[in-house]
Amino acid sequence: TQQRDGVDQTDNYTDAGPVRVKKPSFKKETAKDSKTSPLHTTEVPETNRKRRATEVPPVKTPKDAENETDVNEDTTGQSDSQGTLDRSSILRQKMEARLKSARFRQINEMLYTTTGEEARRMFQKDPGAFQVYHQGFSAQVEKWPVNPVDKIITWLKRRPASEVVADFGCGDAKVARSVKNRVHSFDLVAVNKHVTVCDITKVPLDDETVDVAVFCLALMGTNISDFLREANRVLKLGGVLKIAEVTSRFENINGFIRGLALFGFKLVSKDLSNSHFVMFEFTKISEPKTSRGSAGLELRPCLYKKR
Ligand code: SAH
């Protein structure tokens, strides 16, 4: 049943997901150690010992990887000139990483369980939250074998540079920074000059002015149907809707495709070959056929487990 677009056929990633890299853990200090070793210790992290032939490195399933986060968890600590580690720095960094990670999970959950308008108000009150969110988001996606935004960029580069692109929920506007096309980049907060701040239910573009609308991991919130109505409004007839979404968010991929039909989009191709995300290409064939709320179009939130 799998259809693939031309771009995706060049990739050949396994579905095994990223290999777990064991975090350094330190041998407990014995009474003897504490007498002889100063606070700056040269103990060797467990990761440095040789793996016995019979030990199999643990492999994360894609599911594990999606649902876990160790955002910014840096356990390397501070080193002195000999490269030795300071225990209190390590502890402090671990605590800070845990707090950041908890904050990331909280903001992430909020983004998936509220409307864009509520999210916008939250970021307005607390602009630092957006940075925490994006650090966490990037740390998560960097662990994936492929970042979907890079696939979208590769795909766009093979299309005419004259096409106008709208990047809905653009984050740091990597698309705009990577292609020659005119790209309108929209998000709730502007982290750089490419981003126009707005709720993607109402973007400042005229009707039928866009050739390609991109949603890369951006169908967040409880009102994704409003995002898709807006994409339909700004897209020209025959324009392309490109969607990348986390695989585990779909209860039923064909149901999602049928749902998109109600918003005037016909499937061109779907690519299920990536371990963490699904990529779709649709084309606009009509105005939305429904004005009814979400028209049953829902995705599961993408929540991350506490480690
Ligand atoms: N597309 C980017 C960022 C993905 S993260 C990339 O792949 O790298 C999802 C982004 O969607 C976040 O930056 C979030 O702020 C944005 N977003 C979610 N709901 C939004 C809304 N209602 N209006 C504008 N941006 C929204």
Side-chain angles (χ1 to χ4, degrees), residues 173-185:
K174 189 169 183 189
V175 174
R177 292 184 287 114
S178 310
V179 299
K180 291 198 184 108
N181 306 58
R182 173 134 200 243
V183 182
H184 301 280
S185 309

Side-chain angles (χ1 to χ4, degrees), residues 121-136:
R121 275 201 296 272
M122 194 278 294
F123 284 135
Q124 232 170 19
K125 265 196 228 141
D126 181 5
F130 195 76
Q131 203 199 348
V132 172
Y133 173 73
H134 268 277
Q135 271 177 6

